[in-house]
Amino acid sequence: SMEELEAEMKATNITNAATAFSSFLKIPSAGYRAMSSGVVHTDSSVLLWTRSPVPTPSAGDIEAHYFIASNTAAGFHTMHRSFGLSIRCISINDPIPPSD
């Protein structure tokens, strides 16, 4: 949810794209797929969907909250769900097993 992701971003002090990648989450700057112009903002912005829908979307659009971290800032906004943003599964109940 937006609240869970926001808590993780604050706990790991993610304030821009560089700190998003250097955190334990290792979130890359993958950009996003726009409805009509292909993939944009690669290598400059981290964009992640949350599972939190917008309660009252504008003009009847199906919108959801997302997290964005650019080279200079980070925060939460809303966007139409037809845009292709990255996702990251975060388990808060079970520890991640160590890798070999």
Side-chain angles (χ1 to χ4, degrees):
S1 70
M2 186 175 94
E3 293 79 16
E4 292 168 326
L5 185 57
E6 187 172 26
E8 289 295 329
M9 298 301 134
K10 286 181 181 178
T12 56
N13 198 30
I14 293 176
T15 57
N16 57 39
T19 56
F21 187 73
S22 65
S23 75
F24 80 96
L25 295 170
K26 297 291 183 217
I27 303 170
S29 298
Y32 66 93
R33 180 190 45 81
M35 292 187 299
S36 61
S37 61
V39 178
V40 294
H41 295 294
T42 57
D43 299 329
S44 64
S45 297
V46 171
L47 293 104
L48 292 175
W49 282 122
T50 72
R51 66 177 185 203
S52 302
V54 176
T56 54
S58 60
D61 287 339
I62 300 170
E63 296 179 349
H65 293 280
Y66 72 98
F67 171 78
I68 181 170
S70 66
N71 290 331
T72 58
F76 287 87
H77 302 281
T78 62
M79 185 184 290
H80 193 274
R81 288 198 228 178
S82 63
F83 285 83
L85 278 61
S86 299
I87 61 168
R88 176 64 55 128
C89 296
I90 301 172
S91 174
I92 61 170
N93 297 320
D94 299 317
I96 298 172
S99 59
D100 292 346

